[in-house]
């Protein structure tokens, strides 16, 4: 079916906006339940410390205090589980130490929860939490992943030797890659740090848990990206309470960017405690608490080597990465540096030999997990930095070098998908197309001329390229399972046609800014031929829909939307039978278009609304058909989707100060078919801003004691409005060949492509001024850029 | 302490703790939850409201300091069911995604446009410095403000 007709492809204004612009959004912290109580956590100020004792006596006697729990109270409860298992090279399973709801033995990072105070008001809980006396014995600290595996490093978990969670390898045998690299004309070598990022959704994490003794049922409101998964993990792995006795609701959520995918200890703890005190308990993180306890992202140290022949063709790639997982395994933690990073190292290129070696390590830092892009930005950063540097070193044009190495165009229908050296099979792609489009928008030749002239006037101009690919639409369950996922990654879509022809759609995905209520309604309106106003999209409540896997990895439309389409197909099929009976025709002779069931080749028709009413008032009705018009479907895709694109940054570097100004940013993205261009463009904008943030401004800074020294907005620099230019965005469309909508996913593209483009542009600017700089560690602060220029002044 | 305030045109008298922040007074006492808390330290701007017409971060003020003041929150921005041109601009130009920072930005920009009825892109970006948005990359926020400015200028010209 065509996906460009009618309402698909139109920038329909978002239906969810009205409540947000009038202050009527309903976020978790807005919810106040009868007999509401409030929690405040006592958190370790040390990165590594034995807990010798916790004295709650004074705090317990303070006004309003209802109950205080410490590690000893929850010692018998399981810890929060990890959702992904990675094996050691030798086949042993990864080390998976318990992540307790409150620690009793020792604290392993600053912010590790030691106790929780529950009181009548937020202020009383905070006051009392300050009076809980914890006797700590400080222990030696390790924060750096490469240091943590060395002999004699302090142990984060006594049961984990060398702090090594796992070591892992993918691709061609190391010997083959070594051989390929040994015979090359040129090898580009770089040691990278992909710094730790803090997701920083503006809405802090917030939970409100309650228990009803009569129904023996718990309700948890949570600022989450996937309510069903939280319920499953909490019931099946942590608390052991029956799943049908728990309702998890993710109401309006103020941004996630990955940090709200995971099952956090506070969710399970408050749910458990709400039954004990028989009152609802709410906790909302303060910003510094968010900095310390939301799962962080990235944090890789890598040595990368890429070999080229005399024509500039890549002949081999060797990667050795140390990935910092933090103090505990977060829900997806182990899969990020492996299955979402190692598998993307083919990039868009025909590289014949690739070996990826990853060592994942525990340290005394906040747990690390998926942050927008998750693994794919790290892979893209490596490849795109290597290519640009290689171009400089070999005195080749960086665009030309890419063109020589691209996988040729394939649509996945007439040509097969492209099998990489690192496990994936790309679905469809036209990689040179996005680069050519980007070069045209840039005006590449003119730019290079201007660049030469600008070096005369105190400023250095630079251009940086990044051509990226990502694996989205998580995922085919069988593949995910083979890769160590402990869950399937299908999605559910339930379409309920009401007797009046209005339609309620329940989806297992979760919208937290992506505009699902609009995009999904466009899909439904287009397929059923009814107005968008007649459609309601419902998400985020485990009592409302059968199951769901939530929203992350740009999976909602590709997987969730496809599940809805499956249900719509069933609606139409049943509708044809009902209509045929009414029109005294055969169901095989019916066609459905623009909201009407018509007998082929005649003008005999019946409207969708009439069929809906007939389904619920089945007086004239096929005798062998059930009443009702209500279908639920599960959709498990056959492959990931593979969006790709070309990002180009133009920067100006001040020679005297090292200050970088982002002058232009061009994004050509191919995210497959597009349902709502306005929403896709908005997703790209936000993603690019986050990627630029990593390149120029952001990064967690731990000192050697494990203190996060920039745990506030005063110290952690995020892009603000005047740091960014107007982005120049456009699309190429290569449909996904294996889902009914042909969509690939757009949520993370901006973040993945932009970071290396900006860093490449700064390095290019410096080379144009004679500074042959190999790398500058992100974020590229003025000081770092200035220092790089000083050390290469005469170079 | 007892305070009297006018919020979105309605009068309120309440007994409050001296340490109660204005944002908590609005959210927890008056249940006006459109004003959000993103950082507690007046950096992110999600809690911005108008105090006597001036945009103010309500997490940086105690409720008692607002005694006798006239306050406007995002809930008071629409008049007679009509969206304010800024609200309309945000919807038309896709100036929001998760919507959490949006109320604070709207209230800051209401005040800004009063003093800069025909702002340049640079002036808008500068004025937005006190608001963090993690979703949009700001581009469409700038366009939303431009939309509102154009609309408000045109409306002013009509009666003249």
């Amino acid at each position: 079916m065509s996906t460009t007709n009618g309402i698909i492809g139109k920038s329909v204004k978002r239906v969810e906006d009205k409540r947000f612009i009038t202050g009527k959004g309903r976020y978790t912290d807005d919810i106040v339940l009868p007999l509401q109580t409030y929690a405040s956590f006592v958190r370790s100020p040390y990165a590594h410390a034995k807990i010798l004792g916790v004295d709650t006596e004074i705090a317990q006697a303070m006004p309003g205090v209802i109950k205080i729990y410490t590690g000893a109270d929850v010692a018998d409860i399981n810890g929060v589980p990890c959702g992904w298992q990675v094996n050691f090279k030798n086949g042993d399973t990864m080390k998976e130490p318990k992540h307790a709801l409150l620690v009793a033995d020792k604290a392993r990072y600053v912010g590790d929860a030691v106790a929780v105070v529950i009181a009548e008001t937020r202020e009383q809980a905070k006051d009392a939490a300050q009076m809980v006396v914890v006797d700590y014995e400080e222990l030696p600290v390790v924060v750096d992943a490469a240091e943590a595996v060395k002999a004699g490093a302090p142990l984060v978990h006594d049961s984990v030797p060398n702090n090594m969670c796992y070591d892992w390898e993918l691709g061609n045998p190391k010997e083959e890659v070594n051989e390929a690299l040994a015979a090359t004309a040129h090898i580009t070598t770089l040691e990278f740090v992909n710094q730790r990022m803090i997701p920083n959704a503006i809405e802090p994490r917030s939970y409100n848990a309650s228990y009803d003794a009569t129904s023996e049922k718990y309700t948890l409101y949570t600022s989450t990206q996937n309510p069903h998964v939280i319920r499953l993990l909490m019931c099946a792995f942590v608390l052991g309470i029956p799943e049908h006795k728990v309702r998890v609701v993710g109401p309006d959520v103020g941004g996630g960017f990955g940090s709200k995918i995971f099952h956090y200890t506070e969710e399970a703890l408050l749910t458990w405690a709400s039954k004990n005190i028989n009152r609802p308990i709410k906790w909302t993180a303060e910003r510094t608490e968010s900095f310390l306890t939301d799962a962080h992202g990235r944090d890789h140290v890598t040595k990368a080597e890429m070999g080229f022949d005399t024509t500039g063709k890549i002949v081999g790639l060797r990667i050795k990465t140390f990935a910092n997982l933090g103090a505990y395994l977060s829900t997806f933690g182990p899969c990020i540096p492996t299955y979402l990073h190692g598998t993307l190292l083919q990039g868009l290129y025909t590289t014949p030999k690739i070996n990826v070696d990853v060592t994942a390590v525990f340290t005394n830092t906040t747990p690390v997990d998926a942050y927008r892009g998750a693994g794919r930005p790290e892979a893209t950063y490596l490849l795109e930095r290597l290519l640009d540097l290689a171009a400089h070193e070999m005195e080749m044009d960086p665009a030309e070098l890419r063109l020589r190495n691209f996988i040729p165009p394939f649509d996945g229908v007439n040509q097969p998908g492209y099998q990489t050296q690192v496990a994936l099979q790309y679905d469809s792609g036209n990689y040179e197309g996005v680069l050519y489009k980007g070069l045209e928008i840039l005006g590449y030749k003119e730019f290079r001329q201007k660049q030469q002239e600008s070096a005369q006037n105190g400023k250095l101009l630079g251009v940086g390229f990044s051509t990226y690919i990502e694996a989205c639409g998580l995922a085919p369950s069988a593949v995910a399972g083979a890769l160590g996922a402990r869950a399937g990654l299908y999605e559910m879509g339930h379409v309920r046609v009401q007797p009046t022809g209005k339609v309620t759609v329940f989806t297992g995905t979760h919208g937290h800014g992506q505009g699902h209520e609009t995009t999904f309604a466009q899909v439904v309106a287009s397929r059923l031929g009814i107005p968008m106003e007649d459609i309601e999209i419902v998400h985020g409540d485990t009592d409302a829909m059968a199951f769901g896997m939530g929203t992350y990895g740009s999976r909602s439309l590709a997987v969730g939307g496809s599940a809805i389409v499956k249900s719509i197909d069933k609606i139409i099929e049943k509708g044809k039978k009902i209509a045929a009976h009414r029109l005294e025709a055969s169901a095989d002779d019916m066609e459905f278009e623009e909201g009407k069931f018509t007998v082929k080749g005649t003008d005999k028709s019946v409207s969708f609304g009439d069929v809906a009413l007939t389904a619920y008032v089945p007086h004239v009705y096929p005798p062998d058909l059930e009443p009702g018009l209500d279908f639920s479907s599960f959709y498990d895709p056959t492959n990931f989707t593979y969006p790709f694109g070309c990002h180009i940054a133009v920067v100006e570097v001040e020679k005297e100060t090292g200050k970088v100004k982002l002058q232009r940013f061009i994004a050509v993205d191919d995210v497959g078919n597009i349902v709502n261009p306005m929403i896709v463009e908005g997703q790209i904008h936000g993603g690019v801003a986050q990627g630029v943030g990593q390149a120029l401004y952001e990064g967690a800074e731990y000192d050697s004691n494990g203190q996060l020294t920039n745990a506030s907005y005063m110290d952690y620099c995020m892009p603000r409005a005047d740091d960014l230019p107007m982005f120049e965005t456009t699309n190429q469309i290569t449909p996904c060949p294996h889902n009914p909508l042909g969509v690939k996913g757009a949520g993370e593209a901006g973040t993945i492509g932009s970071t290396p483009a900006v860093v490449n542009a700064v390095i290019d600017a410096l080379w144009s001024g004679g500074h042959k700089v190999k790398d500058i560690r992100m974020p590229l602060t003025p000081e770092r850029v200035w220092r790089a220029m000083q050390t290469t002044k005469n170079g | 302490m007892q305070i009297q305030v006018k919020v979105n045109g309605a009068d309120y008298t309440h007994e409050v703790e001296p340490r109660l922040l204005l944002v908590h007074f609005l959210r927890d006492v008056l249940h006006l939850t459109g004003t959000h808390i993103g950082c507690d330290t007046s950096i992110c701007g999600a809690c911005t409201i108008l105090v006597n017409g001036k945009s103010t971060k309500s997490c940086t003020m105690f409720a008692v300091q607002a005694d006798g003041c006239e306050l406007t929150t995002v809930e008071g921005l629409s008049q007679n069911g009509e969206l304010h041109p800024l609200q309309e601009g945000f919807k038309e130009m896709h100036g929001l995604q998760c919507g959490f920072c949006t109320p604070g930005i709207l209230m800051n920009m209401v005040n800004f446009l009063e003093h800069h009825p025909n702002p340049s892109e640079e002036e808008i970006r500068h004025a937005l410095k006190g608001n963090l948005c993690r979703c949009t990359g700001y581009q469409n926020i700038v366009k939303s403000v431009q939309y509102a400015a154009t609309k408000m200028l045109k409306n002013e010209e009509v009666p003249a």
Side-chain angles (χ1 to χ4, degrees):
Chain A
M1 185 179 290
S2 166
T3 50
T4 51
N5 286 338
I7 202 165
I8 299 281
K10 276 198 183 136
S11 290
V12 174
K13 302 293 183 274
R14 299 203 322 172
V15 297
E16 45 271 85
D17 284 352
K18 191 167 182 194
R19 65 178 187 273
F20 296 133
I21 55 180
T22 53
K24 303 292 185 203
R26 194 167 186 246
Y27 302 89
T28 302
D29 191 57
D30 299 342
I31 295 163
V32 181
L33 300 170
L35 297 173
Q36 185 72 60
T37 73
Y38 297 83
S40 180
F41 284 86
V42 178
R43 298 186 181 278
S44 171
Y46 300 109
H48 200 191
K50 237 185 229 168
I51 297 163
L52 302 176
V54 185
D55 186 347
T56 58
E57 200 180 329
I58 301 168
Q60 187 66 63
M62 288 181 67
V65 173
I66 297 162
K67 186 77 188 170
I68 301 175
Y69 294 105
T70 69
D73 297 313
V74 296
D76 293 338
I77 301 176
N78 292 330
V80 291
C82 178
W84 209 291
Q85 182 180 301
V86 176
N87 290 342
F88 276 84
K89 285 178 196 169
N90 67 8
D92 290 352
T93 53
M94 68 184 187
K95 301 290 180 188
E96 198 173 352
K98 182 178 178 180
H99 187 182
L101 302 189
L102 295 167
V103 285
D105 55 346
K106 64 174 183 174
R108 294 179 178 85
Y109 70 98
V110 174
D112 214 350
V114 177
V116 63
V117 177
I118 299 155
E120 296 289 345
T121 71
R122 183 194 344 256
E123 290 74 20
Q124 287 169 336
K126 277 175 73 172
D127 285 349
Q130 287 180 358
M131 298 307 285
V132 172
V133 182
V134 185
D135 189 7
Y136 295 102
E137 180 190 315
E138 279 189 76
L139 296 168
V141 169
V142 63
V143 296
D144 180 277
E147 292 297 318
V149 289
K150 289 184 180 162
L155 289 186
V156 180
H157 299 274
D158 297 339
S159 60
V160 181
N162 303 320
N163 294 311
M164 199 192 285
C165 179
Y166 57 78
D167 62 4
W168 179 88
E169 199 176 341
L170 183 70
N172 308 99
K174 220 167 246 173
E175 305 73 50
E176 288 181 20
V177 178
N178 291 345
E179 220 170 276
L181 288 177
T184 53
H186 178 84
I187 294 186
T188 289
T189 305
L190 257 184
E191 293 192 22
F192 293 100
V193 174
N194 201 302
Q195 83 272 32
R196 180 180 284 235
M197 298 292 290
I198 298 177
N200 269 312
I202 307 295
E203 179 209 24
R205 277 195 295 129
S206 182
Y207 309 127
N208 196 346
S210 60
Y211 178 73
D212 176 57
T214 309
S215 61
E216 299 178 332
K217 190 160 179 179
Y218 300 81
T219 301
L220 172 69
Y221 291 94
T222 166
S223 53
T224 189
Q225 297 177 218
N226 52 352
H228 287 88
V229 175
I230 299 305
R231 182 181 65 166
L232 173 67
L233 296 178
M234 188 164 70
C235 292
F237 296 94
V238 188
L239 299 180
I241 42 183
E243 212 174 346
H244 66 295
K245 291 293 182 185
V246 177
R247 175 185 176 206
V248 174
V249 184
D252 287 330
V253 171
F257 317 111
S259 70
K260 292 172 183 166
I261 300 173
F262 323 118
H263 183 31
Y264 286 92
T265 52
E266 293 94 346
E267 288 171 309
L269 182 65
L270 298 189
T271 302
W272 169 79
S274 70
K275 181 182 178 185
N276 289 7
I277 69 163
N278 202 20
R279 288 179 65 178
I281 312 169
K282 180 156 72 174
W283 169 76
T284 302
E286 294 186 356
R287 182 50 56 182
T288 290
E289 217 172 6
S290 295
F291 271 99
L292 293 173
T293 66
D294 292 1
H296 294 174
R298 321 276 195 260
D299 208 345
H300 285 190
V301 180
T302 295
K303 184 176 179 191
E305 296 154 284
M306 189 178 256
F308 298 85
D309 70 13
T310 49
T311 65
K313 285 284 277 183
I314 305 168
V315 295
L317 174 67
R318 187 163 57 201
I319 301 286
K320 169 68 200 173
T321 291
F322 289 94
N324 190 344
L325 296 181
Y328 303 99
L329 295 184
S330 181
T331 310
F332 284 175
C335 95
I336 312 300
T338 50
Y339 297 109
L340 291 180
H341 165 251
T343 53
L344 268 297
L345 284 164
Q346 183 91 42
L348 306 173
Y349 312 111
T350 52
T351 312
K353 299 285 177 195
I354 303 171
N355 181 272
V356 195
D357 188 311
V358 178
T359 303
V361 180
F362 292 107
T363 62
N364 294 116
T365 58
T366 300
V368 175
D369 208 318
Y371 165 59
R372 201 168 191 169
R376 293 150 288 185
E378 294 91 315
T380 304
Y381 188 71
L382 291 180
L383 293 176
E384 297 308 298
R385 290 282 298 107
L386 283 169
L387 274 165
D388 256 40
L389 180 64
H392 282 301
E393 289 177 345
M394 297 189 288
E395 294 182 353
M396 281 183 69
D397 185 289
E400 174 61 29
L401 183 60
R402 285 177 172 79
L403 286 168
R404 285 189 194 181
N405 284 288
F406 281 145
I407 297 161
F410 61 105
D411 62 13
V413 181
N414 301 308
Q415 298 102 359
Y418 183 85
Q419 181 60 50
T420 73
Q421 303 297 316
V422 277
L424 301 179
Q425 189 180 39
Y426 297 163
D427 57 352
S428 60
N430 174 3
Y431 307 137
E432 58 190 42
V434 287
L435 178 60
Y436 281 128
K437 215 165 177 175
L439 291 173
E440 192 188 320
I441 297 168
L442 171 68
Y444 190 34
K445 270 188 192 158
E446 297 79 9
F447 172 83
R448 286 294 184 198
Q449 259 173 0
K450 207 169 127 194
Q451 182 180 35
Q452 283 184 348
E453 292 157 18
S454 77
Q456 320 298 325
N457 60 18
K459 307 257 167 119
L460 297 174
L461 269 188
V463 66
F465 295 94
S466 160
T467 39
Y468 72 89
I469 187 161
E470 53 172 329
C472 289
L474 301 170
S477 295
V479 179
L483 300 180
R486 287 166 169 163
L489 283 164
Y490 46 84
E491 197 46 79
M492 189 247 17
H494 177 179
V495 178
R496 175 175 299 159
V497 181
Q498 313 286 0
T500 56
K502 312 293 180 193
V503 176
T504 311
V505 177
F506 303 89
T507 170
T509 67
H510 183 277
H512 35 279
Q514 299 91 337
H516 289 177
E517 289 164 49
T518 307
T519 305
F520 287 2
Q522 281 178 260
V523 170
V524 177
S526 147
R527 298 265 163 165
L528 289 181
I530 60 172
M532 275 183 66
E533 300 79 66
D534 288 357
I535 301 156
E536 175 101 2
I537 306 292
V538 182
H539 60 82
D541 185 341
T542 60
D543 268 10
M545 56 280 300
F547 201 68
M549 298 304 298
T551 286
Y552 40 81
S554 299
R555 67 188 300 278
S556 293
L557 192 56
V559 191
S562 297
I564 293 170
V565 168
K566 264 184 86 174
S567 287
I568 291 173
D569 289 346
K570 293 177 189 171
I571 298 272
I572 294 170
E573 195 191 337
K574 186 170 179 181
K576 280 181 179 172
K577 289 180 187 163
I578 299 167
H581 186 81
R582 281 192 47 164
L583 297 171
E584 295 176 347
S586 155
D588 295 339
D589 291 336
M590 299 303 298
E591 58 188 15
F592 180 69
E593 218 170 301
E594 291 178 14
K596 261 197 307 201
F597 294 90
T598 309
V599 183
K600 275 178 207 164
T602 75
D603 58 356
K604 282 167 65 180
S605 70
V606 54
S607 74
F608 177 73
D610 283 344
V611 166
L613 189 62
T614 306
Y616 291 94
V617 188
H619 295 166
V620 181
Y621 204 71
D624 54 344
L625 203 63
E626 288 176 25
L629 206 49
D630 181 299
F631 284 102
S632 187
S633 306
F634 285 76
Y635 176 76
D636 198 343
T638 55
N639 194 357
F640 297 94
T641 65
Y642 296 93
F644 57 93
C646 169
H647 287 187
I648 302 175
V650 175
V651 301
E652 188 182 85
V653 179
E654 257 180 27
K655 279 186 186 171
E656 295 303 315
T657 62
K659 192 177 173 203
V660 175
K661 185 171 169 47
L662 182 59
Q663 274 196 345
R664 291 179 72 185
F665 194 92
I666 297 159
V668 185
D669 296 289
D670 192 325
V671 298
N673 285 339
I674 292 175
V675 173
N676 187 318
M678 175 191 83
I679 286 176
V680 166
E681 194 187 334
Q683 290 284 304
I684 300 294
H685 288 174
V688 168
Q690 279 181 270
V692 172
Q694 177 166 17
L696 297 180
Y697 307 112
E698 300 182 44
E701 296 287 344
Y702 278 100
D703 70 12
S704 57
N705 292 319
Q707 293 293 331
L708 184 59
T709 58
N710 57 350
S712 84
Y713 282 154
M714 276 178 276
D715 305 299
Y716 185 95
C717 182
M718 295 214 299
R720 290 182 182 267
D722 62 349
D723 293 318
L724 302 169
M726 288 291 184
F727 306 132
E728 301 159 63
T729 56
T730 187
N731 296 103
Q732 174 186 275
I733 293 175
T734 308
C736 170
H738 62 79
N739 68 48
L741 292 166
V743 298
K744 291 193 166 192
E748 298 150 303
T751 314
I752 294 167
S754 59
T755 308
V758 173
V759 175
N760 282 340
V762 175
I763 302 282
D764 182 67
L766 297 195
W767 277 68
S768 79
H771 303 283
K772 296 187 174 179
V773 176
K774 282 188 80 161
D775 187 40
I776 304 173
R777 188 171 165 171
M778 294 189 292
L780 272 57
T781 59
E783 186 198 346
R784 285 180 180 163
V785 176
W786 182 84
R787 281 186 193 281
M789 284 195 280
Q790 303 318 303
T791 53
T792 52
K793 233 172 183 169
N794 304 311
Chain B
M1 287 178 71
Q2 196 181 68
I3 59 165
Q4 285 189 314
V5 288
K6 191 188 275 284
V7 184
N8 302 331
D11 292 312
Y12 296 91
T13 304
H14 276 277
E15 195 68 35
V16 298
E17 266 194 271
R19 66 170 168 171
L20 185 71
L21 292 170
L22 182 54
V23 68
H24 285 141
F25 173 73
L26 292 169
R27 289 178 52 81
D28 298 344
V29 181
L30 302 188
H31 302 297
L32 291 168
T33 55
T35 303
H36 296 147
I37 304 168
C39 73
D40 328 274
T41 49
S42 76
I43 307 289
C44 79
C47 66
T48 307
I49 61 164
L50 300 182
V51 178
N52 294 333
K54 193 167 183 292
S55 64
T56 304
K57 290 174 175 174
S58 62
C59 75
T60 318
M61 229 176 126
F62 292 112
V64 292
Q65 291 176 289
D67 187 26
C69 291
E70 198 164 314
L71 313 177
T72 311
T73 70
V74 68
E75 289 93 341
L77 202 50
S78 308
Q79 295 293 329
N80 308 320
E82 288 272 307
L83 291 179
H84 186 280
L86 265 168
Q87 291 172 309
E88 196 183 303
F90 272 69
K91 187 170 166 52
E92 289 298 316
M93 307 310 291
H94 190 29
L96 65 146
Q97 288 181 25
C98 80
F100 193 80
C101 69
T102 309
I105 294 177
L106 287 169
M107 301 318 285
N108 183 17
M109 289 298 106
V110 168
N111 193 206
F112 168 71
L113 285 182
E114 277 175 21
H115 298 101
H116 302 82
N118 191 15
S120 67
E121 180 193 333
E122 199 184 343
E123 285 173 320
I124 297 171
R125 287 189 184 270
H126 183 74
L128 284 169
K129 264 180 96 83
N131 294 91
L132 279 174
C133 170
R134 194 57 153 169
C135 291
T136 64
Y138 302 103
Q139 179 154 334
N140 288 346
I141 296 178
V142 172
K143 288 186 177 170
S144 305
V145 177
Q146 286 170 332
Y147 174 100
T150 307
K151 179 154 189 190
M152 287 161 82
L153 274 177
K154 276 187 190 156
N155 282 354
E156 270 178 18
E157 280 164 15
V158 176

